[in-house]
Amino acid sequence: MTSQQAEKPARRTRVTLAIAIAVVVALAVGFFVFATLYSDVLWYDQLGYLSVLTTQWFAAGVMFLVGFFAMAVPVWASIEIAFRWRPVYAKLNSQLDRYQQVIEPLRRVATFGVPALLGLFAGVATASRWQLTLQYLNRTQFGQTDPQFGLDISFYMYDLPFWRGVVGFASAVVIVAGLAAIATSYLYGAIRFSQREVRISKIARIQIAVTAFVYIALQAVSIYLDQFATLTNNSGSFTGANYSAVNATIPGLTILAGIAAIVAVLFLVAAVIGRWRLPIIGTAMLIVLGLVLGSLYPWIVQRFEVDPSERTLEAEYIQRNIDATRDAYDVADVDEIAYDATTDAEPGALRNDAATTANIRILDPSLVTKSFQQLQQFRQYYQFPEDLDVDRYDIDGQVQDAVVTVRDLNIDQLGSSATWYNQTVVYTHGYGLVAAYGNQRSSDGQPVFLESGIPTTGSLGDFEPRIYFGENSPPYSIVGGPEGTTPVELDYPSGTDGQQQTYTTFSGDGGPKLDNVFKRLVYALKFQSEQIFLSDAVNDQSQILYDRDPADRVSKVAPYLTIDSDPYPSVVDGRVVWIVDGYTTSADYPYSQTQSWSNAISDTKTSTQGVRLDDVNYVRNSVKATVDAYDGKVTLYAWDPDDPLLQTWEKIYPSTLKPISDMSGGLMSHVRYPADLFKAQRSVLGQYHVTDAGSFYSREDAWATPNDPTSSTSNPTLQPPYYLTLQMPTQDTPEYSLYSTFIPLSEQSESSRSVLTGYLAVDSNAGSEAGVKSDDYGKLRLLNLPKDDTIPGPGQVQNSFSSDPGVSSALNLLRQGESQVLSGNLLTLPVGGGLLYVQPVYVQSRGETSFPLLQKVLVSFGDKIAFESTLDGALDSLFGGDSGAQAGDQSVTPSDGSGDTGGGTSGGTGGSGGSPSGATGDPAVMSALAAAQQALTDRDAAMAAGDWAAYGEADKRLKDAIAQAIAASEN
């Protein structure tokens, strides 16, 4: 046998092996894809929302096929026509001959392969447009028309985006098909270049001319649709068609559309008569007129007609923008109230606001996390979130604001015990809801819990405490087992020595069952863990829990919603449920101002985050959702059934939404007005509280949200809105509300004035009657503060607190040793005929296991401030010894003995050169604190200069002054 003969079997073997490997790889990849898809089917099916997944798949599949064939068929037809009707005896140059020789063996493959490849890309592109297509096919009328064309708003929401997408896609198809026809015609001699002449065969001429006719006709349609898009353009100082757009751009686009249609007809004429002069001239004229009518003429109108008289000419269109924006953001009915705020802190001023002062929250949910951790975490494998939530509960017939959170798992803290078995089978859930009174503190500054401990005890009654679904739950857990078997899931620690544990077995329906080998293999591949397939802990009754974050679960079953950034837990009807707000949004509402959703909701508590649709100019809180913390059940309620966008999605996903009438009274009592929506509305109302076009144009009364006075000066963030139970001037009783403040808008932050210009609050109490929304829920009230008086804003008040000598001295004393002082949220309340500021002050040791303790409360009214150990004492000190009302901590006697229960005898003094009252109101105490402050300053200066003798002398004076202050305060 020759060497060549011997090599042939070897080559065949290598080829066979390569094919086998390729087949195995393809099968493996295919099975991985199948495992992912099948696991999605199991997840949605278990949750009861399989129709959501199948609707998406079906719609995307149909759109893929539409895109594939819409691209592939015209391209194939264009190539086939050009080839089939090619000149048979065309004289080709040598270069084209070589091209044909190379391409001819692959011609048939290319004829089908190139269109198929292009169709694949087009199919993928169109598949992503399934939502827009379904919205168009199921569109719902708004019942409102735009002020320019008189069309229903739904045209801009559904029809216009859909048809512009269709025209754009069709234009791309025609261009690709035309290029394919030209390339094929050139390759086979239908188009020939001879010196200065271009020779085109009759069939090629007809094909190219018809293709050009279709393309130009599509551009005529596109230009015609562009005139409607001017109503959502954001190119000027406001969104919508302005004077130059209405009087120049829109008429120009209409004319251009007609000219484009005529040019398209000229290409048909060229196909018949064989002359290109007319369509070429027409195309050139179209381009020139496009520049003139589309750009030059509107610029001339704007520059020479509008700019000299802009305020007058734009008034009508600014008014359209104002009205549309207020409608689109649902702020048209805001109740504007002239609030002639006083700045005089008179004795008894709070007598008519007793219910409000009793509910002032002194517990800062962003600062007490460490307090909750140290007092309620119990084990290292539990955790609390960085920011806690604010809710309210009916305790003994009285509604109490509460700071709440759940005790979730933290499997990262298992250390050496972090085996797959422990992380997946043993440590499966958190335990309990922890709640503290928002308006109370213990004598040493700790939170006062209304629900706490393991097992959980308190005022909330019996409820299922296990948290299998939370914001920090493990990626996946395997739970459940046959009845009668020994439980293996750690329930909670039950012994003081840390050795005794209580175990449980999940008994709900929370995830897909792993009841056969195939499902175990599917999830082993999904989570890249062979243990799921091999472990004896997995049995026929096992369930796998994953996608456990409440916001993620709601987002998956309602993909059309923008999810609120702050889901919160509540005890409802014996269960812990997460309440999640969902929004329908759009950027296509005519004349409504567009803004970035992520920027609008960003503040100290909420960082900038990616969302499904960031640029928005229409929003509704259309859905309230609940996620059961035990079994993960997701329930969607149509909170705003009149929202046309929601009605459209209900047609797309029928039977996925429940009516409000299905909401229990317990759930209604915990529903609140969502903060993200409120932040978007306050961002709009900063300018759109002005409803007069002339004033709006001049921006003479534009407002902004103030920076959070407790945020970093190098990277300031907006002050978040706060939930409080308060009584607005037009309300008869206090209600659970969400509020924010306004200061004058300044383009340069260094020149901004932190004086209060407005106070916005919304009634956040939905009521407690099953299926019935409170009439006042969502009522926006805007206090307009007097412009001829200076009401300190949050920044000024914080500065007054920091610069007051008495406060500064007292805080410096608290900072001695290993302690640090933390400023809590600065709250603003419209009480006593003015604006009251309240800020809790926490002291925390720098030790590893320390946590903040509420030690002092700063208050301000007008230009006066007070500083006491209790809010009740601070209010009395501020209002001349008797505020006329009591705070929630009025019965507290601080452990340092420095506070009282409301008997302060000296009022607070002005912020400039003044001092706080109470502990710092006694002359002896004041003198000692002043000496301590001076000694502290001298000591720091001596340290900086390296003068250690002076440092020692100043340090001795500091200690003596502190001792004198303590002795004086005890007398």
Side-chain angles (χ1 to χ4, degrees):
M1 179 183 295
T2 65
S3 59
Q4 292 181 346
Q5 291 174 330
E7 288 178 0
K8 289 182 179 180
R11 283 198 299 268
R12 285 197 295 269
T13 301
R14 288 194 294 269
V15 171
T16 302
L17 181 60
I19 294 174
I21 293 174
V23 170
V24 171
V25 170
L27 289 175
V29 172
F31 190 76
F32 271 102
V33 173
F34 171 78
T36 301
L37 298 178
Y38 184 57
S39 64
D40 285 343
V41 170
L42 294 175
W43 189 89
Y44 278 92
D45 188 42
Q46 182 276 326
L47 205 54
Y49 289 90
L50 183 58
S51 62
V52 173
L53 181 65
T54 55
T55 297
Q56 295 178 49
W57 283 1
F58 179 78
V62 171
M63 289 299 295
F64 174 84
L65 293 176
V66 169
F68 178 85
F69 287 108
M71 175 64 78
V73 171
V75 173
W76 171 83
S78 188
I79 294 174
E80 188 68 17
I81 291 171
F83 174 76
R84 188 173 297 275
W85 296 94
R86 70 193 183 283
V88 178
Y89 302 106
K91 184 178 180 181
L92 305 178
N93 58 42
S94 58
Q95 188 175 14
L96 285 178
D97 282 335
R98 286 196 298 271
Y99 287 162
Q100 284 192 10
Q101 290 174 6
V102 172
I103 293 175
E104 188 60 32
L106 302 173
R107 182 188 59 79
R108 186 168 294 277
V109 174
T111 300
F112 291 96
V114 171
L117 182 62
L118 293 171
L120 182 64
F121 288 118
V124 172
T126 54
S128 64
R129 308 279 288 178
W130 65 269
Q131 286 189 326
L132 177 61
T133 304
L134 287 182
Q135 282 185 287
Y136 171 73
L137 295 176
N138 296 275
R139 57 194 181 277
T140 303
Q141 296 288 304
F142 273 63
Q144 296 174 274
T145 58
D146 76 271
Q148 178 62 34
F149 298 103
L151 299 173
D152 190 87
I153 301 297
S154 61
F155 171 81
Y156 300 90
M157 294 290 207
Y158 312 120
D159 301 59
L160 184 59
F162 175 78
W163 286 114
R164 293 186 81 188
V166 169
V167 171
F169 178 78
S171 297
V173 171
V174 173
I175 288 176
V176 173
L179 292 175
I182 292 172
T184 305
S185 297
Y186 175 72
L187 183 61
Y188 288 99
I191 299 177
R192 300 190 306 276
F193 295 92
S194 176
Q195 295 180 349
R196 296 184 179 181
E197 291 184 334
V198 178
R199 297 182 178 276
I200 305 176
S201 69
K202 180 178 180 181
I203 298 300
R205 183 190 73 231
I206 294 173
Q207 183 179 9
I208 294 172
V210 170
T211 302
F213 159 74
V214 175
Y215 179 76
I216 300 298
L218 286 171
Q219 300 320 297
V221 176
S222 179
I223 295 170
Y224 181 76
L225 293 176
D226 285 346
Q227 65 178 321
F228 302 106
T230 59
L231 271 60
T232 55
N233 284 348
N234 198 28
S235 57
S237 58
F238 59 89
T239 299
N242 56 15
Y243 180 90
S244 62
V246 170
N247 293 278
T249 302
I250 291 176
L253 291 172
T254 304
I255 295 171
L256 281 175
I259 294 173
I262 294 173
V263 173
V265 173
L266 293 178
F267 275 100
L268 278 185
V269 173
V272 176
I273 68 175
R275 295 184 180 180
W276 296 94
R277 184 182 303 274
L278 288 177
I280 291 175
I281 294 175
T283 302
M285 289 181 60
L286 178 63
I287 294 173
V288 172
L289 288 173
L291 294 174
V292 172
L293 296 177
S295 298
L296 181 60
Y297 179 55
W299 179 83
I300 292 174
V301 171
Q302 180 68 36
R303 181 71 178 84
F304 297 101
E305 184 177 0
V306 177
D307 287 353
S309 307
E310 190 169 29
R311 178 178 174 130
T312 303
L313 295 180
E314 295 287 21
E316 176 185 354
Y317 309 102
I318 292 175
Q319 193 63 53
R320 292 179 179 183
N321 174 255
I322 293 172
D323 295 340
T325 301
R326 289 169 66 92
D327 283 338
Y329 287 94
D330 202 20
V331 297
D333 296 328
V334 60
D335 187 9
E336 298 193 36
I337 306 162
Y339 189 58
D340 190 13
T342 181
T343 56
D344 297 327
E346 300 292 340
L350 302 184
R351 186 164 289 111
N352 294 329
D353 299 292
T356 297
T357 57
N359 285 285
I360 295 176
R361 178 173 51 77
I362 57 175
L363 209 61
D364 185 346
S366 297
L367 284 184
V368 296
T369 295
K370 287 189 176 180
S371 301
F372 276 53
Q373 290 172 346
Q374 293 298 322
L375 300 173
Q376 291 294 317
Q377 183 170 310
F378 298 119
R379 294 293 188 271
Q380 82 280 1
Y381 49 78
Y382 288 130
Q383 66 175 322
F384 293 112
E386 183 177 349
D387 289 313
L388 308 185
D389 293 298
V390 178
D391 200 357
R392 69 277 191 205
Y393 288 92
D394 191 328
I395 308 297
D396 298 328
Q398 184 176 0
V399 177
Q400 297 275 356
D401 288 5
V403 175
V404 302
T405 187
V406 295
R407 190 183 292 106
D408 215 339
L409 272 182
N410 186 5
I411 59 176
D412 293 335
Q413 294 296 319
L414 292 179
S416 60
S417 300
T419 63
W420 178 89
Y421 191 92
N422 275 338
Q423 290 181 311
T424 307
V425 179
V426 177
Y427 293 91
T428 59
H429 61 277
Y431 190 92
L433 180 138
V434 181
Y437 290 96
N439 63 342
Q440 298 183 25
R441 49 158 286 190
S442 67
S443 59
D444 59 353
Q446 295 184 16
V448 177
F449 293 101
L450 61 90
E451 190 72 31
S452 60
I454 295 181
T456 183
T457 58
S459 304
L460 302 186
D462 295 330
F463 61 90
E464 172 56 64
R466 296 166 185 85
I467 311 297
Y468 282 90
F469 294 83
E471 294 177 300
N472 296 292
S473 297
Y476 71 96
S477 296
I478 296 176
V479 299
E483 187 176 352
T485 57
T486 302
V488 296
E489 299 173 42
L490 175 68
D491 199 14
Y492 57 85
S494 58
T496 57
D497 58 1
Q499 300 299 315
Q500 301 179 23
Q501 308 289 346
T502 299
Y503 293 86
T504 188
T505 299
F506 179 76
S507 59
D509 182 14
K513 286 190 175 182
L514 303 176
D515 51 4
N516 59 54
V517 174
F518 182 72
K519 290 182 181 179
R520 296 171 198 173
L521 178 60
V522 165
Y523 281 103
L525 291 173
K526 178 178 178 64
F527 291 107
Q528 300 293 290
S529 174
E530 73 281 358
Q531 304 291 345
I532 297 176
F533 186 75
L534 300 175
S535 176
D536 60 1
V538 182
N539 54 72
D540 290 346
Q541 298 301 315
S542 294
Q543 301 175 41
I544 185 166
L545 313 182
Y546 61 98
D547 288 339
R548 302 162 76 173
D549 183 274
D552 291 343
R553 292 178 77 80
V554 174
S555 180
K556 290 187 70 172
V557 301
Y560 51 90
L561 293 178
T562 297
I563 304 301
D564 190 86
S565 61
D566 187 25
Y568 59 98
S570 291
V571 176
V572 176
D573 302 328
R575 313 279 287 192
V576 177
V577 299
W578 294 90
I579 300 176
V580 185
D581 287 283
Y583 310 106
T584 47
T585 59
S586 175
D588 298 314
Y589 197 98
Y591 273 107
S592 176
Q593 193 67 25
T594 302
Q595 65 174 337
S596 166
W597 179 263
S598 58
N599 289 339
I601 68 174
S602 296
D603 54 28
T604 300
K605 292 186 62 176
T606 308
S607 58
T608 303
Q609 52 191 268
V611 293
R612 184 183 65 89
L613 178 65
D614 191 50
D615 289 333
V616 301
N617 67 1
Y618 173 90
V619 59
R620 290 290 186 272
N621 178 210
S622 53
V623 172
K624 299 284 187 183
T626 62
V627 178
D628 193 297
Y630 182 75
D631 61 16
K633 179 183 179 182
V634 178
T635 307
L636 306 175
Y637 297 98
W639 186 250
D640 187 357
D642 296 328
D643 175 27
L645 282 183
L646 183 64
Q647 293 173 5
T648 293
W649 285 111
E650 283 190 280
K651 297 175 186 176
I652 297 170
Y653 297 120
S655 304
T656 59
L657 288 165
K658 292 187 176 182
I660 293 179
S661 57
D662 283 5
M663 299 178 73
S664 68
L667 176 58
M668 293 293 292
S669 67
H670 290 283
V671 166
R672 70 188 189 189
Y673 198 83
D676 283 359
L677 174 60
F678 183 73
K679 285 185 278 190
Q681 290 174 325
R682 78 173 177 182
S683 177
V684 166
L685 282 172
Q687 294 189 54
Y688 287 87
H689 69 278
V690 177
T691 56
D692 175 70
S695 299
F696 184 93
Y697 173 83
S698 301
R699 295 168 69 90
E700 58 193 43
D701 194 25
W703 300 344
T705 303
N707 287 331
D708 189 344
T710 64
S711 65
S712 169
T713 54
S714 60
N715 185 28
T717 52
L718 296 182
Q719 187 177 37
Y722 297 117
Y723 288 100
L724 290 174
T725 295
L726 57 87
Q727 182 174 341
M728 291 289 283
T730 58
Q731 290 180 295
D732 297 327
T733 58
E735 292 292 350
Y736 186 67
S737 304
L738 183 62
Y739 87 87
S740 186
T741 57
F742 291 108
I743 61 174
L745 175 66
S746 175
E747 300 298 337
Q748 298 179 342
S749 58
E750 61 270 13
S751 63
S752 62
R753 297 173 59 242
S754 184
V755 296
L756 217 58
T757 56
Y759 185 96
L760 179 67
V762 62
D763 193 327
S764 301
N765 181 29
S768 58
E769 184 179 350
V772 179
K773 191 188 306 185
S774 170
D775 291 338
D776 286 335
Y777 172 85
K779 180 65 177 178
L780 289 160
R781 295 178 173 87
L782 178 62
L783 303 185
N784 287 294
L785 302 179
K787 296 178 176 60
D788 55 356
D789 196 2
T790 300
I791 311 297
Q796 284 190 1
V797 171
Q798 188 70 58
N799 182 66
S800 298
F801 287 160
S802 301
S803 60
D804 185 271
V807 173
S808 179
S809 298
L811 292 180
N812 284 329
L813 290 177
L814 294 174
R815 293 189 181 99
Q816 295 304 304
E818 294 298 318
S819 297
Q820 58 179 325
V821 174
L822 304 174
S823 297
N825 45 208
L826 182 60
L827 306 177
T828 312
L829 298 98
V831 295
L835 277 303
L836 170 70
Y837 286 93
V838 177
Q839 184 175 51
V841 178
Y842 292 82
V843 177
Q844 179 177 338
S845 168
R846 298 183 188 274
E848 184 176 349
T849 59
S850 64
F851 59 92
L853 296 173
L854 178 56
Q855 295 296 308
K856 299 288 183 180
V857 180
L858 281 160
V859 294
S860 172
F861 191 94
D863 61 350
K864 294 184 178 181
I865 63 175
F867 189 34
E868 295 289 354
S869 296
T870 65
L871 174 59
D872 194 64
L875 292 178
D876 281 340
S877 297
L878 184 65
F879 290 95
D882 180 16
S883 68
Q886 293 179 336
D889 63 349
Q890 55 90 21
S891 61
V892 175
T893 301
S895 57
D896 62 4
S898 62
D900 55 47
T901 59
T905 58
S906 58
T909 63
S912 56
S915 59
S917 60
T920 57
D922 186 272
V925 176
M926 288 295 300
S927 177
L929 290 177
Q933 176 66 36
Q934 185 60 48
L936 181 64
T937 303
D938 295 342
R939 190 184 71 168
D940 292 342
M943 178 184 291
D947 187 347
W948 301 112
Y951 177 89
E953 187 272 335
D955 188 61
K956 182 178 183 304
R957 285 192 287 117
L958 175 63
K959 293 177 180 178
D960 292 343
I962 292 174
Q964 293 173 11
I966 294 174
S969 65
E970 291 176 347
N971 293 332

